[in-house]
Amino acid sequence: MRKLVVWNLMTLDGYFEGAKPWDIEFHNLAWGPELEKYAEQFGEESDLLVFGRKTYEGMAAYWPSAESENKIKAYMNSIAKIAVSRTMEKADWNNTRVVIDPVSELRRLKEEDGKTILIFGSAELADTLLKAGLVDEIRICLVPVILGRGNPHFKPADAQQPLKLLDSSVTKSGAVILRYEPVRAA
């Protein structure tokens, strides 16, 4: 059985982007050798990336023509990808297919053999999958900044979601990488 892992950078006050879409300049406050190595490990650990439509569009606009020639660019462009959308008819980024119903598709894919399935960004999609009980791990890089406003990573919910800390590490920039496992109700 495959694991489904959510990964995102988030400000201390809980935002994964600023007040405007793709306002992620604060990521530069965390970026450094440790985070680059962590990102490279995603390429070794996973064989499928899943994005919500907005995140997919931003990633697809950036990665094919990214100036850097490194391991991260190589796996981002070669790995299998899913774009979750009710409005997209096709996805042009290499090795991508469009899925309308992420809950049933990811439930099915988790039952197959393979490596970890990763969700980058895509807070609304991650919220849907977390509430459906499909997320096995949440990895957050807590960036040492208070943004003041923006798009919150975690969305309002009717109930608490307890989490079990699996690991934590601090980068030289002062960012904290946290790994949590959702605690399932008995």
Side-chain angles (χ1 to χ4, degrees):
M1 184 167 178
R2 299 165 82 173
K3 280 183 19 177
L4 180 63
V5 173
V6 172
W7 163 252
N8 214 339
L9 280 80
M10 184 175 81
T11 65
L12 189 59
D13 51 350
Y15 300 113
F16 79 99
E17 67 183 350
K20 296 179 183 177
W22 286 97
D23 178 5
I24 57 173
E25 187 67 26
F26 69 89
H27 286 200
N28 293 328
L29 298 172
W31 191 254
E34 303 106 315
L35 206 53
E36 182 175 8
K37 183 177 179 184
Y38 198 79
E40 288 173 352
Q41 291 172 351
F42 287 138
E44 298 166 14
E45 174 186 356
S46 63
D47 61 3
L48 177 63
L49 291 177
V50 182
F51 304 105
R53 181 192 52 82
K54 294 175 200 171
T55 303
Y56 171 81
E57 289 171 348
M59 295 286 200
Y62 176 77
W63 283 108
S65 59
E67 292 182 18
S68 61
E69 294 297 329
N70 59 26
K71 290 180 184 179
I72 300 168
K73 179 182 177 181
Y75 84 73
M76 289 297 290
N77 286 311
S78 64
I79 195 169
K81 294 171 272 297
I82 290 176
V84 175
S85 175
R86 288 183 225 77
T87 59
M88 289 175 58
E89 294 183 15
K90 65 177 188 161
D92 295 327
W93 189 13
N94 180 48
N95 211 9
T96 304
R97 64 188 176 93
V98 177
V99 167
I100 295 171
D101 180 0
V103 172
S104 63
E105 182 66 8
L106 287 166
R107 186 172 281 127
R108 182 186 69 76
L109 289 170
K110 282 183 64 171
E111 294 297 324
E112 294 180 352
D113 290 332
K115 294 182 173 183
T116 298
I117 301 168
L118 289 172
I119 298 174
F120 287 173
S122 309
E124 291 169 14
L125 172 62
D127 180 65
T128 297
L129 298 172
L130 184 62
K131 288 175 180 166
L134 293 173
V135 174
D136 298 296
E137 193 174 313
I138 298 169
R139 298 180 189 173
I140 295 290
C141 178
L142 195 57
V143 181
V145 65
I146 296 171
L147 205 55
R149 64 184 181 145
N151 192 352
H153 185 278
F154 295 103
K155 306 304 179 188
D158 294 332
Q160 292 183 18
Q161 172 61 70
L163 303 171
K164 175 185 172 188
L165 181 65
L166 299 175
D167 187 45
S168 65
S169 61
V170 180
T171 69
K172 289 179 184 171
S173 69
V176 180
I177 299 172
L178 301 163
R179 290 181 49 231
Y180 287 102
E181 174 182 81
V183 176
R184 310 281 185 230

